Amino acid sequence: QVQLAESGGGSVQAGGSLRLSCTASLNIAGTYVWGWFRQTPGQEREGVATIDDDGATTYADSVKGRFTSSRDNLKRTLYLEMNSLTPDDTAIYYCAFRWGRLARDYRLRHFVYTIWGHGTQVSVSS
């Protein structure tokens, strides 16, 4: 069973940048979708960005042009580069993973993912 560990969260001023990392406990091979989600108190977990084994990415409209998802298979690590951060980006960010193919329309839906990290806090001040 793959386990995920996020890192890289922190506090930053609006307009700043952060890079999140998610490291898997096992080598990732085969077909999969690996993604980032975020959640604020009282809100549903929101899909932010995903990447699959072919390198195809999907992004939430709210982060397009500002966030970039990438992976390093040798390091078993998924990254989320976040630029031009705003206070609306404040949330706990979670890494999620699932084996197998997934239609693009479902990739930002939290309920299709079976493996989750514990989350890392991102706080953006104005």
Side-chain angles (χ1 to χ4, degrees):
Q1 173 79 337
V2 175
Q3 293 181 321
L4 305 173
E6 303 97 336
S7 61
S11 298
V12 65
Q13 289 190 324
S17 299
L18 283 173
R19 187 175 80 158
L20 304 183
S21 300
C22 170
T23 301
S25 59
L26 303 174
N27 287 328
I28 303 297
T31 58
Y32 61 83
V33 184
W34 205 351
W36 292 99
F37 291 75
R38 64 188 182 187
Q39 190 169 24
T40 55
Q43 300 298 313
E44 186 175 2
R45 198 165 289 189
E46 173 193 22
V48 175
T50 72
I51 189 167
D52 70 11
D53 52 285
D54 288 332
T57 54
T58 57
Y59 295 96
D61 288 343
S62 59
V63 306
K64 283 180 181 176
R66 301 189 299 122
F67 290 12
T68 302
S69 180
S70 62
R71 56 175 165 63
D72 185 328
N73 289 336
L74 289 179
K75 294 182 179 179
R76 307 190 311 265
T77 301
L78 174 72
Y79 301 101
L80 184 67
E81 188 74 37
M82 304 186 294
N83 298 312
S84 302
L85 286 162
T86 75
D88 287 342
D89 296 315
T90 295
I92 298 175
Y93 283 70
Y94 296 91
C95 177
F97 181 90
R98 62 161 283 149
W99 295 107
R101 293 286 178 219
L102 185 61
R104 188 172 286 270
D105 287 349
Y106 287 89
R107 293 187 180 190
L108 294 176
R109 310 280 186 92
H110 64 85
F111 54 80
V112 300
Y113 290 83
T114 54
I115 301 170
W116 291 86
H118 293 295
T120 185
Q121 177 71 48
V122 171
S123 299
V124 184
S125 58
S126 57

